[in-house]
Amino acid sequence: MPPFAARESLPVTPATGFLPLLPLNKNAQLPPTCGRGIPQPCSIYQPTGFDPNIFTPTVQIWDLTVERQLAKDLMLSVGYVGSQSYHTNTTVDTNTAPPVMCENPQGCRSGGVLALPTDPTVLATRYTAPQGTLYMAPGTRPNPYVSYTQSWFGWGTASYHALNVSVLKRATRGLTFKANYSFSKALDLSSAILAPSGENEPTNLVSPYNRRLNKGVAAYNPAHQFNTNFSYQLPFGSGQRFGGRASGLVNRLTEGWNWHGIVNAKTGFPFTPLIGFNNSGTGEGTQPTDVADRNPNFKGPVILGAVDHWFDPRAFSMPVAGTFGNAGRSVYRGPGLFNVDTSLFKRIPIRESVTLQFRAEAFNVLNHVNFAFPNQIVFQGNSSNYSYSESAGQITNTGTPSRQLQFALKLLF
């Protein structure tokens, strides 16, 4: 149980900004701003705060690397890196009730803070949690006078494991390069402490009472990454392989050229199929955190790979109102990335201590389109009347800019 549950009778602590959940006084009058004649308490406050007993985040890191010289100018390195973090920040709604497990064979009435429908058919099919399901029982927030709260607690944990392979070539004959490959997996409870630090996943924990519902691949973790960089002194000009006997103007035009390049390739970032409204009844705010269900009747690939439909929304179904979806956080991946940057430098000696450098640089020289993550909202509407979102799976942004060229002169003295 979260620590705030044990401090419900404490007053507000201005020094920390932490707002304990005060028990409802049934005989208390409603605040005047709620209006006269309102039969139930209305939520008018939406505070933010943090845990006054928060711990300093800590991390343990370990690694092992084995190196082997393959040739006099070539080195191979294979290593493992791991880490474990504790007390990392998580964002939660502190004014939400704890979920319970349904033990009734006939099912349990669910819905949390959602308004129950009057249609008995909808009530029976959409607001009845099956036996053995974790659900939100109908009722108000612990403090009905307080709305959704955004609070920071150091409850998070994270782990990271990676296999790293690199090849290094030292400079010989004007060429040097390094190539790196990494296969990694980072797990945490929440990477999106504040948007837009992780817009490809829920920003808050679904329930502070059951944090394992949020455990998944970190929003920033691509499974595979490859990058290489190289520098090559082109063999042109006096004393070089080509034009070694050149002199005068020809030599000044051909000598002193260097070619550089960087290549990056990686798999896509993970994303979470979300519901565009608070279907679980936890009372979540405007940012959607509820996860969809996997559709047991769906056949075919979930990831379509098209810009207008990166994933098939029919692969998901709506959970019963007041329950939590089983699709999982960060279980699917968006588009990968491939990018090549290159440049040409020419050194032009003017006199002994003065050199002019010409630079021609091209970013994303292949003009390869790298798409951002797709719209992860699968359903729109409300718990009683919903439909598939027309924009589910659509990609509307790119992750990198188009080809860019730039030229420059640099005077060194």
Side-chain angles (χ1 to χ4, degrees), residues 261-328:
I262 300 175
V263 179
N264 286 298
K266 58 186 175 183
T267 52
F269 292 107
F271 68 90
T272 306
L274 297 175
I275 300 170
F277 50 89
N278 184 225
N279 183 69
S280 64
T282 57
E284 185 57 69
T286 57
Q287 297 292 334
T289 60
D290 288 339
V291 179
D293 265 348
R294 295 187 181 94
N295 186 353
N297 300 318
F298 176 78
K299 307 296 182 182
V302 177
I303 303 299
L304 302 177
V307 177
D308 55 345
H309 279 96
W310 183 257
F311 63 85
D312 193 337
R314 297 173 300 176
F316 307 101
S317 59
M318 178 66 71
V320 171
T323 66
F324 306 96
N326 60 19

Side-chain angles (χ1 to χ4, degrees), residues 194-223:
L194 286 175
S197 60
E199 293 180 340
N200 52 326
E201 69 164 24
T203 55
N204 286 13
L205 299 188
V206 175
S207 172
Y209 299 91
N210 195 340
R211 299 192 287 274
R212 70 175 182 270
L213 293 173
N214 272 75
K215 187 173 183 178
V217 178
Y220 53 83
N221 177 227

Side-chain angles (χ1 to χ4, degrees), residues 111 114-115 122 126-127 275 277-281 290 318-322 380-386:
L114 302 175
V122 176
R126 289 284 305 129
Y127 291 78
I275 300 170
F277 50 89
N278 184 225
N279 183 69
S280 64
D290 288 339
M318 178 66 71
V320 171
Q380 61 185 5
N382 56 61
S383 297
S384 301
N385 185 16
Y386 59 88

Side-chain angles (χ1 to χ4, degrees), residues 322-386:
T323 66
F324 306 96
N326 60 19
R329 168 179 166 253
S330 300
V331 292
Y332 303 100
R333 291 192 175 270
L337 179 143
F338 180 78
N339 187 72
V340 179
D341 299 332
T342 188
S343 62
L344 277 173
F345 291 2
K346 178 173 173 54
R347 182 179 56 85
I348 306 171
I350 297 178
R351 55 176 184 262
E352 184 177 355
S353 60
V354 180
T355 302
L356 184 65
Q357 185 184 71
F358 168 75
R359 305 164 66 105
E361 299 169 311
F363 303 95
N364 192 9
V365 64
L366 302 180
N367 205 29
H368 182 77
V369 180
N370 295 300
F371 293 105
F373 53 85
N375 177 20
Q376 53 198 333
I377 303 299
V378 181
F379 295 99
Q380 61 185 5
N382 56 61
S383 297
S384 301
N385 185 16
Y386 59 88

Side-chain angles (χ1 to χ4, degrees), residues 217-238:
V217 178
Y220 53 83
N221 177 227
H224 303 275
Q225 297 185 76
F226 172 81
N227 64 78
T228 182
N229 60 83
F230 67 89
S231 178
Y232 183 39
Q233 182 180 348
L234 299 180
F236 300 111
S238 178

